[in-house]
Structures are given as C-alpha cells and as structure tokens.
Amino acid sequence: MKTIALKMDQENIDYNKIMIAGAVIKAGGLVAFPTETVYGLGGDALNPTSSTKIYSAKGRPSDNPLIIHIAKIEDLDKIADEISEVAYQLARAFWPGPLTMVFRKKAIVPKETTGGLDTVAVRMPNHKVAIAFIKEAGGYVAAPSANVSGKPSPTLARHVIADMDGKIDMIIDSGAVEIGLESTIIDLSEPGKAPMILRPGYITKKMLEEVVGEIDTDPTIGNYENVIDLEHQGSEKLIPKAPGMKYKHYAPRAELMIVKGTQENVITYINAQAEAKCRGGKKIGVIATEETFMRYLVDVVKNVGARDDEEAIAKHLYAVLREFDDLDVDFIYSEEFETPRIGQAIMNRLIRAAGHQIVRV
Ligand code: TXA
Ligand code: MG
C-alpha cells in the first residue's frame, strides 16, 4: 500500500484535504492524524473491520482496547451508557483536552474496538486538525497512538512514517505535537464509585479533584516496582485496569536503565558504568538535563530540557528514545525526573520503557 502524506497547519486548515481524509475513514481505511498529546492511528470506531485493521497495522494484542475520539460533547451519548453528572462536569472542564474517560459502552460500539470489553474509552482532542478530521470522518474515530506496538508513541509525523509507511492509507502531518505524553485515563464506568485514574497524564489527580472531589488511582500506578510487563506477570501481582498498562511499552531497542540518587552520585555512577561498557565495545547513551548534560563522558548525550521545565521533558522524551534507536545505541542510562506536576506521568512511561530496571545510588 502507498501511504499518502498530507501537510496541514492547525491555523490554516485545508478543508479539501480534510474531506479526502474523512472519506478514507468512511471507506474503512486508516489515517494517522495529530492530536495535542501524540499522533493517533485513526479508523472508523463503529466499523469492526477498521478496528481489526488498526490492530494489525500496529501489531497490537487484540485485548488492548482503542480510545474513541469525538469532536463534540453531544456525540458522547450515542456510544456511552450511564454517563454521570461527574462525567459531564469533567468533560466541560477538560474537553477538548488530554483526558480520556471510560464508560459502559452502548451496543453500537463493536467489541473489536473495545478489545472485547463492555466499556468504552472516549476523548475529545484539543487540536483543530483532529477535530475537523473527526467531524468529516463521521464523528467517531478509534485511535491508538500511531506507533508499532511496544515502541515510543509518535510526537512527530516522521515517527509515524518510520512505523507505519506502507501499512496505512494516509498521514496528516501537522508538525510536532504540543504535549508529548498520552492522555490521562479515568474510569467512570461505575457511577456509584469514585472515579479512578488508570493512566497518569498531563491532567493530574489534583486538577481532577478540583472539579469533582475525590478521585482514586489504580494501585498499579506509581507503585513502580509493581507495574507489570508481560514477562513478569505473576498471579500474586496487581493487574492494571487499563489493559495497555500491563505491556512493556515506550521502549527503545537499546536496554534502558534509570539511575536514582543525588545529582553527583548519579553522574559518577553513570560515567563509571559507561566507561566499563564502552571498553566492552558497547555504544552508550544518556538521557540528561540542561543542568547535567555537559558532565557525561559517553557516546551520545541527550538533553531533554531544564530540570524544572517539566513540559519540555514530557515533550522531548519519546523523540529522544527514538533518536537512540537511529544512532544504534546499545545501552541507555537515564536520570530520574521527579517533577512536581506531570512527573508521575513521565516516570510511569520511562519506567516501563526501562522494563522496570531502576538502580538507586
Ligand atoms: O493521548 C492519547 O490518549 C492517545 C491519542 C492518540 O489520543 N491515544 C492513546 O491510545 O494513547 P493507546 O491506544 O496508545 O492507549 C490507550 C490506552 C491503553 O492502555 C488501553 O488499554 C486503555 O487506553 N483503554 C482503552 N479502552 C479502555 C477501556 N474500555 N477500559 C480500560 N482501559 C482502556
Ligand atoms: Mg499507545
């Protein structure tokens, strides 16, 4: 299949191109498109064949459900059941934006889209191109992140091309995304219970609680050592409620290790380890910050931004992980990013990219 790339600026939407992209979705094809979080791989959410195609383009396990993207709050009611007042409050406060809500699904939503579940995840992205495209595509676009399963999510169109060229019909290229981490997911499928965060993201627990009061968090989040990947899945461990959170994810090809400790200890440890590995003929990379990157004596050092600029760290993380792949790095060390607001989301992704390898020094 030849994949067509269309360029489009958020501030200058080309409705002819949007109509072409919408027609591809209505005909059962796949179109990758930008959102404010990461690029999505879109198909008609109400067409089971389209969802099946998404799984095969990504190489994604079929028990891992897709998020349905809508363009207006009024469209929620057609696909979601038992929508509580709390859900509407959250939708009014955070949509369009990086918040995904899980509801009981209506019969119109095929099981192929929800990975066999009776619930459905829905979000309205804050991106003008995405909104125009979703409307033109019929209003319900199922879209996981547009990466091959297991790889870092795409934050640039070129990441999508690297993973999806020849496998999908079209890519809408609107340049770099704004946020760079996937949406916060919150479970509202049991209206009697407090809403529960299933995946941390840009919208934090505190921001949600300011709108609707008490929010729970899936106990597998933040409990870093207990987050599971498939290899380590054991009956005694907690299983995350968002099926995707149990898979190893966001991973570069190289082995990745996170190093925790005081700045001086971290730098000394990484330089010593890197030197030993280098002598063994390995190519070493480091994920560092503005404050530290000059101090590493290794093959490739990536500066993700200043330590207190968590937006920059979130935005650059996935691109940096992919750059190490392009440079054939064998082993990556990363500093830890315990930033105050979205630090939990950043570390949740990084720890899973590292397959839970963390060393304290
Ligand atoms: O920011 C985002 O959310 C991006 C953009 C493209 O919108 N999308 C995204 O999709 O990250 P994906 O497929 O890569 O991750 C979706 C996550 C998975 O962990 C999946 O298990 C979970 O959402 N999920 C989807 N439907 C669910 C449901 N009904 N119940 C629980 N978890 C669900
Ligand atoms: Mg994903």
Side-chain angles (χ1 to χ4, degrees), residues 213-248:
E214 199 200 338
I215 303 271
D216 285 339
T217 302
D218 185 325
T220 64
I221 296 171
N223 184 356
Y224 297 154
E225 269 71 24
N226 210 357
V227 181
I228 304 160
D229 66 36
L230 273 189
E231 288 85 33
H232 300 113
Q233 197 169 337
S235 54
E236 79 285 2
K237 292 209 173 164
L238 299 171
I239 306 285
K241 279 194 78 177
M245 299 291 278
K246 71 179 183 285
Y247 295 105
K248 182 169 177 189

PDB file of all heavy atoms in Angstrom, residues 213-248:
ATOM      1  N   GLY A 213     -14.040  16.575  43.255  1.00  0.00           N
ATOM      2  CA  GLY A 213     -13.831  15.930  44.552  1.00  0.00           C
ATOM      3  C   GLY A 213     -13.003  14.671  44.429  1.00  0.00           C
ATOM      4  O   GLY A 213     -12.210  14.545  43.505  1.00  0.00           O
ATOM      5  N   GLU A 214     -13.263  13.729  45.334  1.00  0.00           N
ATOM      6  CA  GLU A 214     -12.341  12.597  45.486  1.00  0.00           C
ATOM      7  C   GLU A 214     -12.162  11.731  44.235  1.00  0.00           C
ATOM      8  O   GLU A 214     -13.105  11.319  43.573  1.00  0.00           O
ATOM      9  CB  GLU A 214     -12.848  11.704  46.626  1.00  0.00           C
ATOM     10  CG  GLU A 214     -11.772  10.793  47.155  1.00  0.00           C
ATOM     11  CD  GLU A 214     -12.355   9.599  47.899  1.00  0.00           C
ATOM     12  OE1 GLU A 214     -13.514   9.684  48.365  1.00  0.00           O
ATOM     13  OE2 GLU A 214     -11.658   8.584  47.984  1.00  0.00           O
ATOM     14  N   ILE A 215     -10.884  11.437  43.944  1.00  0.00           N
ATOM     15  CA  ILE A 215     -10.517  10.580  42.811  1.00  0.00           C
ATOM     16  C   ILE A 215      -9.586   9.490  43.340  1.00  0.00           C
ATOM     17  O   ILE A 215      -8.675   9.773  44.104  1.00  0.00           O
ATOM     18  CB  ILE A 215      -9.735  11.406  41.759  1.00  0.00           C
ATOM     19  CG1 ILE A 215     -10.530  12.613  41.264  1.00  0.00           C
ATOM     20  CG2 ILE A 215      -9.223  10.532  40.628  1.00  0.00           C
ATOM     21  CD1 ILE A 215     -11.409  12.365  40.083  1.00  0.00           C
ATOM     22  N   ASP A 216      -9.804   8.245  42.921  1.00  0.00           N
ATOM     23  CA  ASP A 216      -8.883   7.149  43.265  1.00  0.00           C
ATOM     24  C   ASP A 216      -7.843   6.986  42.165  1.00  0.00           C
ATOM     25  O   ASP A 216      -8.017   7.492  41.057  1.00  0.00           O
ATOM     26  CB  ASP A 216      -9.653   5.824  43.386  1.00  0.00           C
ATOM     27  CG  ASP A 216     -10.444   5.746  44.677  1.00  0.00           C
ATOM     28  OD1 ASP A 216     -10.101   6.490  45.619  1.00  0.00           O
ATOM     29  OD2 ASP A 216     -11.411   4.962  44.726  1.00  0.00           O
ATOM     30  N   THR A 217      -6.795   6.228  42.496  1.00  0.00           N
ATOM     31  CA  THR A 217      -5.789   5.916  41.479  1.00  0.00           C
ATOM     32  C   THR A 217      -5.598   4.404  41.456  1.00  0.00           C
ATOM     33  O   THR A 217      -5.505   3.784  42.513  1.00  0.00           O
ATOM     34  CB  THR A 217      -4.447   6.599  41.831  1.00  0.00           C
ATOM     35  OG1 THR A 217      -4.680   8.001  41.935  1.00  0.00           O
ATOM     36  CG2 THR A 217      -3.400   6.358  40.754  1.00  0.00           C
ATOM     37  N   ASP A 218      -5.545   3.836  40.256  1.00  0.00           N
ATOM     38  CA  ASP A 218      -5.267   2.400  40.133  1.00  0.00           C
ATOM     39  C   ASP A 218      -3.987   2.110  40.906  1.00  0.00           C
ATOM     40  O   ASP A 218      -2.957   2.736  40.662  1.00  0.00           O
ATOM     41  CB  ASP A 218      -5.098   2.051  38.642  1.00  0.00           C
ATOM     42  CG  ASP A 218      -4.917   0.553  38.412  1.00  0.00           C
ATOM     43  OD1 ASP A 218      -4.286  -0.111  39.258  1.00  0.00           O
ATOM     44  OD2 ASP A 218      -5.394   0.057  37.382  1.00  0.00           O
ATOM     45  N   PRO A 219      -4.052   1.165  41.871  1.00  0.00           N
ATOM     46  CA  PRO A 219      -2.875   0.933  42.726  1.00  0.00           C
ATOM     47  C   PRO A 219      -1.627   0.476  41.969  1.00  0.00           C
ATOM     48  O   PRO A 219      -0.529   0.533  42.521  1.00  0.00           O
ATOM     49  CB  PRO A 219      -3.344  -0.154  43.703  1.00  0.00           C
ATOM     50  CG  PRO A 219      -4.642  -0.649  43.187  1.00  0.00           C
ATOM     51  CD  PRO A 219      -5.208   0.365  42.268  1.00  0.00           C
ATOM     52  N   THR A 220      -1.777   0.036  40.730  1.00  0.00           N
ATOM     53  CA  THR A 220      -0.569  -0.383  39.992  1.00  0.00           C
ATOM     54  C   THR A 220       0.215   0.818  39.464  1.00  0.00           C
ATOM     55  O   THR A 220       1.321   0.674  38.966  1.00  0.00           O
ATOM     56  CB  THR A 220      -0.917  -1.304  38.801  1.00  0.00           C
ATOM     57  OG1 THR A 220      -1.698  -0.573  37.870  1.00  0.00           O
ATOM     58  CG2 THR A 220      -1.653  -2.532  39.255  1.00  0.00           C
ATOM     59  N   ILE A 221      -0.343   2.028  39.557  1.00  0.00           N
ATOM     60  CA  ILE A 221       0.354   3.225  39.073  1.00  0.00           C
ATOM     61  C   ILE A 221       1.172   3.821  40.204  1.00  0.00           C
ATOM     62  O   ILE A 221       0.687   3.950  41.310  1.00  0.00           O
ATOM     63  CB  ILE A 221      -0.645   4.296  38.594  1.00  0.00           C
ATOM     64  CG1 ILE A 221      -1.426   3.786  37.398  1.00  0.00           C
ATOM     65  CG2 ILE A 221       0.058   5.610  38.262  1.00  0.00           C
ATOM     66  CD1 ILE A 221      -2.559   4.701  37.009  1.00  0.00           C
ATOM     67  N   GLY A 222       2.371   4.224  39.910  1.00  0.00           N
ATOM     68  CA  GLY A 222       3.153   4.912  40.926  1.00  0.00           C
ATOM     69  C   GLY A 222       3.866   3.918  41.805  1.00  0.00           C
ATOM     70  O   GLY A 222       4.929   4.192  42.349  1.00  0.00           O
ATOM     71  N   ASN A 223       3.304   2.736  41.872  1.00  0.00           N
ATOM     72  CA  ASN A 223       3.960   1.662  42.599  1.00  0.00           C
ATOM     73  C   ASN A 223       4.933   1.050  41.592  1.00  0.00           C
ATOM     74  O   ASN A 223       4.679   0.025  40.993  1.00  0.00           O
ATOM     75  CB  ASN A 223       2.883   0.661  43.014  1.00  0.00           C
ATOM     76  CG  ASN A 223       3.457  -0.445  43.856  1.00  0.00           C
ATOM     77  OD1 ASN A 223       4.663  -0.499  44.056  1.00  0.00           O
ATOM     78  ND2 ASN A 223       2.600  -1.324  44.323  1.00  0.00           N
ATOM     79  N   TYR A 224       6.036   1.751  41.384  1.00  0.00           N
ATOM     80  CA  TYR A 224       6.879   1.496  40.218  1.00  0.00           C
ATOM     81  C   TYR A 224       7.294   0.039  40.071  1.00  0.00           C
ATOM     82  O   TYR A 224       7.232  -0.531  39.010  1.00  0.00           O
ATOM     83  CB  TYR A 224       8.145   2.353  40.281  1.00  0.00           C
ATOM     84  CG  TYR A 224       7.888   3.820  40.241  1.00  0.00           C
ATOM     85  CD1 TYR A 224       8.785   4.711  40.796  1.00  0.00           C
ATOM     86  CD2 TYR A 224       6.746   4.332  39.624  1.00  0.00           C
ATOM     87  CE1 TYR A 224       8.561   6.074  40.747  1.00  0.00           C
ATOM     88  CE2 TYR A 224       6.508   5.688  39.579  1.00  0.00           C
ATOM     89  CZ  TYR A 224       7.422   6.553  40.139  1.00  0.00           C
ATOM     90  OH  TYR A 224       7.207   7.899  40.092  1.00  0.00           O
ATOM     91  N   GLU A 225       7.732  -0.547  41.175  1.00  0.00           N
ATOM     92  CA  GLU A 225       8.263  -1.905  41.083  1.00  0.00           C
ATOM     93  C   GLU A 225       7.169  -2.925  40.799  1.00  0.00           C
ATOM     94  O   GLU A 225       7.434  -4.038  40.424  1.00  0.00           O
ATOM     95  CB  GLU A 225       8.984  -2.288  42.386  1.00  0.00           C
ATOM     96  CG  GLU A 225      10.463  -1.960  42.375  1.00  0.00           C
ATOM     97  CD  GLU A 225      10.707  -0.457  42.454  1.00  0.00           C
ATOM     98  OE1 GLU A 225       9.854   0.287  42.957  1.00  0.00           O
ATOM     99  OE2 GLU A 225      11.763  -0.034  42.004  1.00  0.00           O
ATOM    100  N   ASN A 226       5.934  -2.519  41.008  1.00  0.00           N
ATOM    101  CA  ASN A 226       4.855  -3.474  40.869  1.00  0.00           C
ATOM    102  C   ASN A 226       4.114  -3.366  39.537  1.00  0.00           C
ATOM    103  O   ASN A 226       3.228  -4.137  39.247  1.00  0.00           O
ATOM    104  CB  ASN A 226       3.864  -3.289  42.018  1.00  0.00           C
ATOM    105  CG  ASN A 226       3.187  -4.591  42.359  1.00  0.00           C
ATOM    106  OD1 ASN A 226       3.432  -5.592  41.701  1.00  0.00           O
ATOM    107  ND2 ASN A 226       2.336  -4.568  43.354  1.00  0.00           N
ATOM    108  N   VAL A 227       4.468  -2.358  38.721  1.00  0.00           N
ATOM    109  CA  VAL A 227       3.837  -2.275  37.415  1.00  0.00           C
ATOM    110  C   VAL A 227       4.330  -3.480  36.626  1.00  0.00           C
ATOM    111  O   VAL A 227       5.495  -3.827  36.685  1.00  0.00           O
ATOM    112  CB  VAL A 227       4.208  -0.965  36.708  1.00  0.00           C
ATOM    113  CG1 VAL A 227       3.522  -0.878  35.358  1.00  0.00           C
ATOM    114  CG2 VAL A 227       3.816   0.219  37.569  1.00  0.00           C
ATOM    115  N   ILE A 228       3.419  -4.092  35.915  1.00  0.00           N
ATOM    116  CA  ILE A 228       3.748  -5.397  35.349  1.00  0.00           C
ATOM    117  C   ILE A 228       4.059  -5.291  33.863  1.00  0.00           C
ATOM    118  O   ILE A 228       3.437  -4.535  33.148  1.00  0.00           O
ATOM    119  CB  ILE A 228       2.518  -6.309  35.484  1.00  0.00           C
ATOM    120  CG1 ILE A 228       2.100  -6.378  36.940  1.00  0.00           C
ATOM    121  CG2 ILE A 228       2.801  -7.693  34.935  1.00  0.00           C
ATOM    122  CD1 ILE A 228       0.672  -6.840  37.089  1.00  0.00           C
ATOM    123  N   ASP A 229       4.990  -6.048  33.378  1.00  0.00           N
ATOM    124  CA  ASP A 229       5.011  -6.265  31.939  1.00  0.00           C
ATOM    125  C   ASP A 229       4.775  -7.750  31.716  1.00  0.00           C
ATOM    126  O   ASP A 229       4.736  -8.534  32.663  1.00  0.00           O
ATOM    127  CB  ASP A 229       6.308  -5.739  31.299  1.00  0.00           C
ATOM    128  CG  ASP A 229       7.523  -6.506  31.758  1.00  0.00           C
ATOM    129  OD1 ASP A 229       7.412  -7.716  31.945  1.00  0.00           O
ATOM    130  OD2 ASP A 229       8.572  -5.892  31.913  1.00  0.00           O
ATOM    131  N   LEU A 230       4.576  -8.116  30.474  1.00  0.00           N
ATOM    132  CA  LEU A 230       4.126  -9.489  30.215  1.00  0.00           C
ATOM    133  C   LEU A 230       5.078 -10.534  30.767  1.00  0.00           C
ATOM    134  O   LEU A 230       4.650 -11.519  31.343  1.00  0.00           O
ATOM    135  CB  LEU A 230       3.951  -9.693  28.713  1.00  0.00           C
ATOM    136  CG  LEU A 230       2.589  -9.294  28.191  1.00  0.00           C
ATOM    137  CD1 LEU A 230       2.449  -9.743  26.755  1.00  0.00           C
ATOM    138  CD2 LEU A 230       1.475  -9.891  29.042  1.00  0.00           C
ATOM    139  N   GLU A 231       6.388 -10.271  30.592  1.00  0.00           N
ATOM    140  CA  GLU A 231       7.372 -11.258  31.034  1.00  0.00           C
ATOM    141  C   GLU A 231       7.282 -11.520  32.531  1.00  0.00           C
ATOM    142  O   GLU A 231       7.552 -12.614  32.989  1.00  0.00           O
ATOM    143  CB  GLU A 231       8.812 -10.787  30.728  1.00  0.00           C
ATOM    144  CG  GLU A 231       9.177 -10.825  29.265  1.00  0.00           C
ATOM    145  CD  GLU A 231       8.732  -9.580  28.541  1.00  0.00           C
ATOM    146  OE1 GLU A 231       8.720  -8.487  29.144  1.00  0.00           O
ATOM    147  OE2 GLU A 231       8.376  -9.685  27.375  1.00  0.00           O
ATOM    148  N   HIS A 232       6.945 -10.466  33.277  1.00  0.00           N
ATOM    149  CA  HIS A 232       6.974 -10.605  34.732  1.00  0.00           C
ATOM    150  C   HIS A 232       5.593 -10.790  35.346  1.00  0.00           C
ATOM    151  O   HIS A 232       5.423 -10.683  36.542  1.00  0.00           O
ATOM    152  CB  HIS A 232       7.645  -9.367  35.355  1.00  0.00           C
ATOM    153  CG  HIS A 232       9.040  -9.189  34.872  1.00  0.00           C
ATOM    154  ND1 HIS A 232       9.417  -8.136  34.084  1.00  0.00           N
ATOM    155  CD2 HIS A 232      10.128  -9.961  35.023  1.00  0.00           C
ATOM    156  CE1 HIS A 232      10.696  -8.256  33.787  1.00  0.00           C
ATOM    157  NE2 HIS A 232      11.151  -9.351  34.335  1.00  0.00           N
ATOM    158  N   GLN A 233       4.625 -11.064  34.502  1.00  0.00           N
ATOM    159  CA  GLN A 233       3.270 -11.156  35.020  1.00  0.00           C
ATOM    160  C   GLN A 233       3.123 -12.388  35.914  1.00  0.00           C
ATOM    161  O   GLN A 233       3.399 -13.506  35.502  1.00  0.00           O
ATOM    162  CB  GLN A 233       2.293 -11.257  33.855  1.00  0.00           C
ATOM    163  CG  GLN A 233       0.888 -10.939  34.277  1.00  0.00           C
ATOM    164  CD  GLN A 233       0.000 -10.781  33.053  1.00  0.00           C
ATOM    165  OE1 GLN A 233       0.469 -10.505  31.964  1.00  0.00           O
ATOM    166  NE2 GLN A 233      -1.278 -10.972  33.247  1.00  0.00           N
ATOM    167  N   GLY A 234       2.703 -12.179  37.144  1.00  0.00           N
ATOM    168  CA  GLY A 234       2.550 -13.317  38.061  1.00  0.00           C
ATOM    169  C   GLY A 234       1.234 -13.180  38.788  1.00  0.00           C
ATOM    170  O   GLY A 234       0.713 -12.091  38.933  1.00  0.00           O
ATOM    171  N   SER A 235       0.686 -14.280  39.276  1.00  0.00           N
ATOM    172  CA  SER A 235      -0.658 -14.235  39.833  1.00  0.00           C
ATOM    173  C   SER A 235      -0.723 -13.384  41.100  1.00  0.00           C
ATOM    174  O   SER A 235      -1.742 -12.824  41.423  1.00  0.00           O
ATOM    175  CB  SER A 235      -1.133 -15.650  40.121  1.00  0.00           C
ATOM    176  OG  SER A 235      -0.172 -16.290  40.930  1.00  0.00           O
ATOM    177  N   GLU A 236       0.394 -13.262  41.822  1.00  0.00           N
ATOM    178  CA  GLU A 236       0.354 -12.521  43.082  1.00  0.00           C
ATOM    179  C   GLU A 236       0.405 -11.003  42.853  1.00  0.00           C
ATOM    180  O   GLU A 236       0.168 -10.222  43.749  1.00  0.00           O
ATOM    181  CB  GLU A 236       1.496 -12.972  44.017  1.00  0.00           C
ATOM    182  CG  GLU A 236       2.872 -12.402  43.737  1.00  0.00           C
ATOM    183  CD  GLU A 236       3.559 -13.022  42.501  1.00  0.00           C
ATOM    184  OE1 GLU A 236       2.970 -13.877  41.803  1.00  0.00           O
ATOM    185  OE2 GLU A 236       4.681 -12.609  42.240  1.00  0.00           O
ATOM    186  N   LYS A 237       0.683 -10.604  41.618  1.00  0.00           N
ATOM    187  CA  LYS A 237       0.843  -9.166  41.368  1.00  0.00           C
ATOM    188  C   LYS A 237      -0.482  -8.510  40.985  1.00  0.00           C
ATOM    189  O   LYS A 237      -1.423  -9.175  40.574  1.00  0.00           O
ATOM    190  CB  LYS A 237       1.849  -8.976  40.240  1.00  0.00           C
ATOM    191  CG  LYS A 237       3.241  -9.394  40.664  1.00  0.00           C
ATOM    192  CD  LYS A 237       4.259  -8.600  39.904  1.00  0.00           C
ATOM    193  CE  LYS A 237       5.654  -8.870  40.426  1.00  0.00           C
ATOM    194  NZ  LYS A 237       6.655  -8.417  39.477  1.00  0.00           N
ATOM    195  N   LEU A 238      -0.524  -7.179  41.115  1.00  0.00           N
ATOM    196  CA  LEU A 238      -1.724  -6.447  40.747  1.00  0.00           C
ATOM    197  C   LEU A 238      -1.803  -6.319  39.228  1.00  0.00           C
ATOM    198  O   LEU A 238      -0.794  -6.126  38.564  1.00  0.00           O
ATOM    199  CB  LEU A 238      -1.663  -5.043  41.360  1.00  0.00           C
ATOM    200  CG  LEU A 238      -1.608  -4.997  42.876  1.00  0.00           C
ATOM    201  CD1 LEU A 238      -1.338  -3.574  43.353  1.00  0.00           C
ATOM    202  CD2 LEU A 238      -2.930  -5.487  43.446  1.00  0.00           C
ATOM    203  N   ILE A 239      -3.017  -6.421  38.685  1.00  0.00           N
ATOM    204  CA  ILE A 239      -3.208  -6.270  37.249  1.00  0.00           C
ATOM    205  C   ILE A 239      -3.811  -4.885  36.992  1.00  0.00           C
ATOM    206  O   ILE A 239      -4.844  -4.548  37.558  1.00  0.00           O
ATOM    207  CB  ILE A 239      -4.195  -7.343  36.704  1.00  0.00           C
ATOM    208  CG1 ILE A 239      -3.741  -8.752  37.097  1.00  0.00           C
ATOM    209  CG2 ILE A 239      -4.370  -7.201  35.199  1.00  0.00           C
ATOM    210  CD1 ILE A 239      -2.573  -9.303  36.347  1.00  0.00           C
ATOM    211  N   PRO A 240      -3.196  -4.079  36.131  1.00  0.00           N
ATOM    212  CA  PRO A 240      -3.757  -2.756  35.856  1.00  0.00           C
ATOM    213  C   PRO A 240      -5.124  -2.860  35.181  1.00  0.00           C
ATOM    214  O   PRO A 240      -5.364  -3.786  34.409  1.00  0.00           O
ATOM    215  CB  PRO A 240      -2.749  -2.135  34.887  1.00  0.00           C
ATOM    216  CG  PRO A 240      -1.553  -3.012  34.888  1.00  0.00           C
ATOM    217  CD  PRO A 240      -1.980  -4.357  35.355  1.00  0.00           C
ATOM    218  N   LYS A 241      -6.012  -1.876  35.456  1.00  0.00           N
ATOM    219  CA  LYS A 241      -7.354  -1.903  34.869  1.00  0.00           C
ATOM    220  C   LYS A 241      -7.375  -1.472  33.406  1.00  0.00           C
ATOM    221  O   LYS A 241      -8.271  -1.821  32.667  1.00  0.00           O
ATOM    222  CB  LYS A 241      -8.308  -1.016  35.680  1.00  0.00           C
ATOM    223  CG  LYS A 241      -8.828  -1.722  36.919  1.00  0.00           C
ATOM    224  CD  LYS A 241     -10.013  -0.996  37.515  1.00  0.00           C
ATOM    225  CE  LYS A 241     -11.300  -1.269  36.742  1.00  0.00           C
ATOM    226  NZ  LYS A 241     -12.460  -0.619  37.356  1.00  0.00           N
ATOM    227  N   ALA A 242      -6.400  -0.646  32.995  1.00  0.00           N
ATOM    228  CA  ALA A 242      -6.290  -0.327  31.565  1.00  0.00           C
ATOM    229  C   ALA A 242      -5.401  -1.407  30.953  1.00  0.00           C
ATOM    230  O   ALA A 242      -4.222  -1.484  31.271  1.00  0.00           O
ATOM    231  CB  ALA A 242      -5.676   1.046  31.360  1.00  0.00           C
ATOM    232  N   PRO A 243      -5.977  -2.262  30.096  1.00  0.00           N
ATOM    233  CA  PRO A 243      -5.202  -3.417  29.623  1.00  0.00           C
ATOM    234  C   PRO A 243      -3.834  -3.030  29.050  1.00  0.00           C
ATOM    235  O   PRO A 243      -2.861  -3.757  29.252  1.00  0.00           O
ATOM    236  CB  PRO A 243      -6.116  -4.014  28.545  1.00  0.00           C
ATOM    237  CG  PRO A 243      -7.493  -3.634  28.970  1.00  0.00           C
ATOM    238  CD  PRO A 243      -7.360  -2.269  29.582  1.00  0.00           C
ATOM    239  N   GLY A 244      -3.752  -1.880  28.384  1.00  0.00           N
ATOM    240  CA  GLY A 244      -2.485  -1.494  27.760  1.00  0.00           C
ATOM    241  C   GLY A 244      -1.370  -1.272  28.765  1.00  0.00           C
ATOM    242  O   GLY A 244      -0.187  -1.358  28.421  1.00  0.00           O
ATOM    243  N   MET A 245      -1.726  -1.005  30.020  1.00  0.00           N
ATOM    244  CA  MET A 245      -0.706  -0.673  31.015  1.00  0.00           C
ATOM    245  C   MET A 245       0.068  -1.910  31.483  1.00  0.00           C
ATOM    246  O   MET A 245       1.033  -1.790  32.216  1.00  0.00           O
ATOM    247  CB  MET A 245      -1.352   0.032  32.219  1.00  0.00           C
ATOM    248  CG  MET A 245      -2.035   1.331  31.870  1.00  0.00           C
ATOM    249  SD  MET A 245      -0.873   2.620  31.397  1.00  0.00           S
ATOM    250  CE  MET A 245      -0.364   3.184  33.009  1.00  0.00           C
ATOM    251  N   LYS A 246      -0.371  -3.099  31.061  1.00  0.00           N
ATOM    252  CA  LYS A 246       0.367  -4.268  31.514  1.00  0.00           C
ATOM    253  C   LYS A 246       1.482  -4.656  30.542  1.00  0.00           C
ATOM    254  O   LYS A 246       2.319  -5.475  30.849  1.00  0.00           O
ATOM    255  CB  LYS A 246      -0.570  -5.449  31.769  1.00  0.00           C
ATOM    256  CG  LYS A 246      -1.177  -6.096  30.547  1.00  0.00           C
ATOM    257  CD  LYS A 246      -2.055  -7.274  30.984  1.00  0.00           C
ATOM    258  CE  LYS A 246      -2.645  -8.039  29.822  1.00  0.00           C
ATOM    259  NZ  LYS A 246      -3.752  -7.334  29.160  1.00  0.00           N
ATOM    260  N   TYR A 247       1.483  -4.054  29.366  1.00  0.00           N
ATOM    261  CA  TYR A 247       2.511  -4.411  28.392  1.00  0.00           C
ATOM    262  C   TYR A 247       3.747  -3.536  28.532  1.00  0.00           C
ATOM    263  O   TYR A 247       3.648  -2.367  28.863  1.00  0.00           O
ATOM    264  CB  TYR A 247       1.956  -4.260  26.965  1.00  0.00           C
ATOM    265  CG  TYR A 247       0.847  -5.231  26.686  1.00  0.00           C
ATOM    266  CD1 TYR A 247      -0.479  -4.825  26.656  1.00  0.00           C
ATOM    267  CD2 TYR A 247       1.136  -6.573  26.486  1.00  0.00           C
ATOM    268  CE1 TYR A 247      -1.496  -5.723  26.426  1.00  0.00           C
ATOM    269  CE2 TYR A 247       0.122  -7.477  26.257  1.00  0.00           C
ATOM    270  CZ  TYR A 247      -1.188  -7.054  26.227  1.00  0.00           C
ATOM    271  OH  TYR A 247      -2.197  -7.940  25.999  1.00  0.00           O
ATOM    272  N   LYS A 248       4.900  -4.141  28.217  1.00  0.00           N
ATOM    273  CA  LYS A 248       6.120  -3.343  28.115  1.00  0.00           C
ATOM    274  C   LYS A 248       5.903  -2.367  26.966  1.00  0.00           C
ATOM    275  O   LYS A 248       5.374  -2.718  25.927  1.00  0.00           O
ATOM    276  CB  LYS A 248       7.317  -4.248  27.828  1.00  0.00           C
ATOM    277  CG  LYS A 248       8.609  -3.461  27.768  1.00  0.00           C
ATOM    278  CD  LYS A 248       9.820  -4.353  27.755  1.00  0.00           C
ATOM    279  CE  LYS A 248      11.044  -3.470  27.612  1.00  0.00           C
ATOM    280  NZ  LYS A 248      12.259  -4.218  27.389  1.00  0.00           N
TER     281      LYS A 248
END
